[in-house]
Amino acid sequence: MIIFGTKGYLYQLAILTLVCGQCGNPAAHTLRKRVTKFTLFFVPLFPVSTKYLTQCTFCGAEQKVTKEQADHLQTQSTNGPSGQAYGQPQQHDRF
């Protein structure tokens, strides 16, 4: 008897502040990578599919992005427009 199947893995790559296309709010979005791997006897062997997506933390809407867009967003989050590293607090001017 041979036991085979698939198993999914979810990786969080970055957290970005973007304007949501669904609700229109400027909110934090998580950039995630979803990898499905083929398993043989419950041992993951090789990836079958890889998908990238962003999820709005305000309304929960998910949007698929390409690998190139995900790489660009991840680079943008680590460098940032102000040169701050990922996870550093940002200062916003109040009017």
Side-chain angles (χ1 to χ4, degrees):
M1 176 168 38
I2 297 175
I3 300 173
F4 64 93
T6 60
K7 183 173 180 176
Y9 296 89
L10 190 63
Y11 303 98
Q12 182 169 319
L13 303 176
I15 298 177
L16 307 155
T17 302
L18 303 170
V19 176
C20 180
Q22 181 75 23
C23 64
N25 289 313
H29 285 68
T30 56
L31 177 62
R32 296 180 177 168
K33 177 181 176 180
R34 184 175 295 160
V35 179
T36 304
K37 293 187 177 183
F38 176 79
T39 61
L40 183 62
F41 294 106
F42 306 105
V43 177
L45 297 178
F46 56 88
V48 176
S49 72
T50 301
K51 297 178 184 177
Y52 295 89
L53 54 99
T54 59
Q55 183 178 20
C56 177
T57 58
F58 188 80
C59 68
E62 291 185 348
Q63 180 180 357
K64 291 183 182 179
V65 294
T66 64
K67 182 180 182 341
E68 292 78 22
Q69 290 172 330
D71 290 340
H72 178 71
L73 289 171
Q74 191 173 8
T75 302
Q76 179 182 343
S77 73
T78 55
N79 295 339
S82 60
Q84 294 179 337
Y86 172 72
Q88 296 295 322
Q90 297 179 354
Q91 294 179 355
H92 297 282
D93 295 334
R94 296 186 120 180
F95 296 100

